[in-house]
Amino acid sequence: MARIAVIGAGMGAMAAAARLAVAGQRVTVYERAATYGGSVGRFERDGFVFDTGPGLLHLPAVYRDLFVKTGKEPLESRVRLGQVDPASRHVFADGTDVRLPNASRGGVVSALDTALGAGAGERWGEFLGRARDAWDRSRRPLLEEPLWADWRVLGRDPYPAVRQRRLLRGARRATTVAEIGAWELADPRLAALLDGYALSYGLDPRHAPASAALLPYLEQTFGSWYVGGGMRELARAVYERCLARRVEFVFGAEVTRIVEKDGAATGIELADGTVAEADHVVAGIAPGPLVEWRLDADGDVRPSAGEAGEAGEATAPGRFTVLLALRGARDPGAAHRTVVHSPDGSAEAAEIFAGRTAARPTVTVLRPDDTATRPDDGHEAVTLTATVAPQGPVDWSDAALRERYADVLVAAVGAAVPEIAERIVWREVRTPADTAALTGAAGGCVPAPALAGAEGRMLLPGNSTRLSGLYRAGGWAHPGGGLAHAGMSGALVAGLIVEGADFRGSQ
């Protein structure tokens, strides 16, 4: 029985802990905060309940697999999991309003044709077909296998872009999300739809590789799912699964150093000086600041600019969130998720990725039809979220700025949620400064999922490191950010520890 020390109780770290415990390892999780879940948090006040991290789950198969492999029982036996329908409502700058059904390509095509005009849905459907090809070509190396030693082959973009005849430039193919929108989708609203998907994952549509097309493909193929009571219930279920498998948790335990001996990780040291010996260490956070050993050699995938302490100033974006307690009943016809698109998505991206506040951001509105989120049926809990520049370039600790920008988000969604400003009982604002304080991520950056293409710049460091016995899990490691990706990172780490060099990926 090997001793495993896990740093952090985020979703990827807990997924690794549960799988390792089932494999017969003795696992202890050390978390500096007072609770589990990492960024999958909850805010409660006066009977209102809000998710402070992800609000919807995509690729639920990752967590279904976790629960089957660690207990031979379905995920649904521990949480109330259901598809939201419509999957999303989109309000565009010209007033066009469209509801996209959940996990129905034909339904999406029909809805877009009706709202945007004949041919729009067909173009989107053809685009999804090419995105499916990108998914089929990259799924295994991006989600289900440890990062390849020859990772540079993943620098080739798997998206089969359509050759375009460009005036005076000959034939060209789209290489970025923005070019797909302009050249293949050929409708500013379809382009905004695609750009919005990229931006919601923290990607700049102007530079994100065409392979980012697989993100809307995943959502529209495998569906958008809501956990009853909020996404925090999924974190609770994973935590309880860990406890059932005898994983030990130590909260309020800040790890300050990974202990090394003879070129191997041999334990962790806490802020109070306590040393816990271990045969393997799993870092659910960026481990760079905790070691003297160089974890990545020349030729390895380099740590992302969002990692705390490993790559200097934060450059990846964060999330600005406004939690709204509203008086008045929820409209029974309201969509669970509404995206109110910016009138100028290109300008929005330029501001965000230059480290400034966008004058008119794209805003996602979450309005769950869940009695567990509100004190009674005469009130409603609504969450507004926008992708923004990280803490540092923008000082999100400035109270006046926080309130002004919260006003911007509320004003932006007025057409989607009528009389929203008049219905506010109170509001709570969360910014990248709060994310940084909670997770330790530099600037409150939120990691994006790994993508092929862009010469490998969208890949994350591998789960194994140059320091023997030290492994990475969670959003800042392969295969990147997002609930599903974090869960898969846990599966990869467990496989590498249990099976060693023979491990070839999840089955």
Side-chain angles (χ1 to χ4, degrees):
M1 176 186 292
R3 298 165 299 175
I4 313 291
V6 178
I7 305 173
M11 298 297 282
M14 289 198 296
R19 290 176 181 273
L20 286 166
V22 166
Q25 315 302 318
R26 179 180 175 184
V27 185
T28 303
V29 177
Y30 299 88
E31 168 58 53
R32 69 172 187 165
T35 188
Y36 56 84
S39 62
V40 185
R42 170 181 285 168
F43 180 81
E44 300 181 52
R45 175 180 164 188
D46 301 337
F48 293 91
V49 178
F50 302 87
D51 284 319
T52 56
L56 291 171
L57 177 64
H58 307 290
L59 282 179
V62 172
Y63 288 92
R64 288 182 173 131
D65 180 73
L66 171 66
F67 275 76
V68 169
K69 297 288 178 60
T70 61
K72 297 182 179 180
E73 60 182 350
L75 170 63
E76 284 83 351
S77 70
R78 296 299 175 182
V79 298
R80 291 185 291 113
L81 186 65
Q83 287 184 299
V84 298
D85 203 5
S88 57
R89 172 192 176 198
H90 295 265
V91 180
F92 298 101
D94 67 352
T96 302
D97 192 322
V98 59
R99 293 173 179 244
L100 302 182
N102 204 342
S104 171
R105 179 171 168 176
V108 168
V109 168
S110 177
L112 290 173
D113 270 340
T114 299
L116 276 61
E122 181 180 359
R123 288 195 300 278
W124 184 261
E126 291 172 348
F127 155 72
L128 286 182
R130 294 187 291 274
R132 179 195 59 214
D133 290 343
W135 167 247
D136 290 340
R137 294 171 181 176
S138 60
R139 174 180 59 86
R140 285 288 300 174
L142 283 179
L143 282 182
E144 298 172 1
E145 298 177 352
L147 186 65
W148 293 349
D150 58 342
W151 59 268
R152 292 187 186 279
V153 301
L154 297 175
R156 295 192 294 268
D157 199 314
Y159 179 77
V162 178
R163 186 177 293 274
Q164 305 286 326
R165 180 66 62 180
R166 314 303 299 171
L167 183 65
L168 303 180
R169 294 186 180 182
R172 296 187 61 192
R173 288 188 171 94
T175 60
T176 67
V177 167
E179 288 176 346
I180 291 176
W183 300 355
E184 296 183 5
L185 299 178
D187 183 302
R189 295 162 298 184
L190 290 179
L193 178 62
L194 177 57
D195 286 358
Y197 276 107
L199 195 61
S200 70
Y201 284 93
L203 301 170
D204 184 347
R206 302 168 304 162
H207 304 295
S211 63
L214 62 82
L215 298 175
Y217 167 78
L218 292 179
E219 288 197 22
Q220 295 188 8
T221 300
F222 300 106
S224 296
W225 300 75
Y226 176 69
V227 177
M231 203 57 64
R232 178 67 178 175
E233 290 300 294
L234 177 63
R236 175 195 55 76
V238 175
Y239 170 67
E240 291 179 351
R241 173 51 49 87
C242 287
L243 293 179
R245 299 300 168 260
R246 299 187 178 180
V247 174
E248 297 182 23
F249 285 80
V250 183
F251 294 107
E254 181 178 2
V255 176
T256 56
R257 183 170 70 96
I258 294 171
V259 180
E260 309 160 39
K261 183 179 180 180
D262 299 329
T266 60
I268 55 96
E269 182 176 345
L270 303 179
D272 64 4
T274 301
V275 173
E277 296 181 350
D279 299 295
H280 303 282
V281 176
V282 177
I285 62 173
L290 304 179
V291 296
E292 296 179 1
W293 191 278
R294 184 179 177 186
L295 298 181
D296 301 284
D298 294 339
D300 290 343
V301 174
R302 303 302 297 159
S304 166
E307 285 198 44
E310 288 205 23
E313 183 180 358
T315 57
R319 302 285 186 269
F320 187 99
T321 302
V322 185
L323 312 176
L324 297 174
L326 302 184
R327 63 175 60 87
R330 179 185 186 273
D331 179 356
H336 186 113
R337 175 176 57 169
T338 297
V339 181
V340 182
H341 292 269
S342 170
D344 190 339
S346 180
E348 177 189 15
E351 295 292 338
I352 292 170
F353 291 91
R356 299 187 291 267
T357 56
R360 171 57 176 83
T362 295
V363 183
T364 297
V365 185
L366 294 181
R367 305 179 68 182
D369 187 10
D370 185 349
T371 57
T373 65
R374 54 186 185 254
D376 53 55
D377 289 340
H379 293 84
E380 180 181 9
V382 173
T383 302
L384 313 181
T385 304
T387 298
V388 297
Q391 171 68 17
V394 175
D395 183 10
W396 292 114
S397 64
D398 183 329
L401 173 60
R402 294 161 62 103
E403 294 305 316
R404 285 198 306 271
Y405 211 63
D407 289 340
V408 170
L409 267 64
V410 171
V413 303
V417 188
E419 301 180 346
I420 185 171
E422 292 77 13
R423 295 176 58 197
I424 296 175
V425 179
W426 52 260
R427 72 186 187 189
E428 177 78 11
V429 179
R430 299 295 180 93
T431 76
D434 301 306
T435 303
L438 174 67
T439 67
C445 297
V446 177
L451 294 171
E455 299 180 338
R457 293 191 303 275
M458 305 304 296
L459 299 174
L460 279 294
N463 307 104
S464 300
T465 73
R466 296 279 176 171
L467 180 60
S468 177
L470 174 62
Y471 300 85
R472 299 183 181 98
W476 295 113
H478 177 74
L483 277 173
H485 293 70
M488 188 57 71
S489 79
L492 294 174
V493 166
L496 288 166
I497 292 176
V498 173
E499 299 184 30
D502 294 331
F503 181 61
R504 292 293 180 266
S506 303
Q507 301 299 321

